[in-house]
Amino acid sequence: MEKLAIVAIGGNSLIEDPADPGIARQWDAARRTCRNIAEMIADGWHVIVTHGNGPQVGYIVRRGEIAAREGIHDVPLDLVVADTQGSIGYMLSQALDNSLRRLGMNRTVASVVTQVRVDPDDPAFQNPTKPIGAFMTEEEARKYADQGWDVMEDAGRGWRRVVASPKPLAIQEINAIQALMLSGYVVVACGGGGVPVVRNEYGSLRGVYAVIDKDRSSALLAQTLRADLLIISTGVEKVCLDYNTPHQRDLDTITMQEAVQYMQEGHFAKGSMLPKIEAAVDFVQTGGPRAIITNPANLRRALHGETGTHIVPGFGGGAD
């Protein structure tokens, strides 16, 4: 039986050059990433792909605000997340299909619009922290803050708009995702962390103004399906301690306990690496055998233990 890997692709990894975020460049990044995922599948892995959408959501929201000046209706944030699930899911589905065919594999790729239930009383709604949209200077951010935006500095890379990021509780379409997986489909699901929804007092679902962190939803998906591996694809080959300082150290294999210690010591920025480490710890803590954090170009090498940061249960490991 094929082993199951959840591969989480960052929305920022599809925009390799923030100065040139056009659709053509996003297609190029999607194709490069999917070639690596296709090689995983050719090596015998069963793969479910998840993806982020932070920059893409921000662009759509901004376009809506500009269009509103011309009398065009606004688009609620839950629908924007669903829009990006469709557009990014389409890109990944097509790129994966083409990559698999070049490897002589005829596998159908299915992208599922996914709702993820959250708690309406989650404290995150009172403390927006999830970055969306493009990076800005502090001056630009302050200007938008005066217009009602919540903004914050993002891991030393610039300022960004932020929205609420509640904890994912349950994946509404989990049975459909599992059925597709067991039928041999390559599935794209939980895009952008899933469309955040809550149940009202009558049990009905409705969307809420938020964006769920895709790494946390990916960990929940991996836990629910008892995956053998969670891979979080990001912009760096390995996680580092003392990042971007003269004392920077790469991490190869670390235990869950060591990862928690490093988080408590403040090594990982809230807007970038921290949620990835938290997701990896969540997965391993609930019985997952291993989580890997690396960049798209090194997915295959990381699977063979040649690179990437591996988070495992137990004791031992540590920085190089």
Side-chain angles (χ1 to χ4, degrees), residues 49-93:
V49 180
T50 66
H51 63 82
N53 67 348
Q56 294 83 358
V57 162
Y59 295 141
I60 294 174
V61 169
R62 184 64 182 141
R63 282 199 294 269
E65 290 170 341
I66 295 170
R69 301 171 188 167
E70 302 297 323
I72 300 173
H73 67 82
D74 193 14
V75 181
L77 189 55
D78 57 327
L79 287 184
V80 173
V81 175
D83 284 349
T84 61
Q85 286 191 356
S87 58
I88 298 174
Y90 158 65
M91 295 168 75
L92 295 175
S93 294

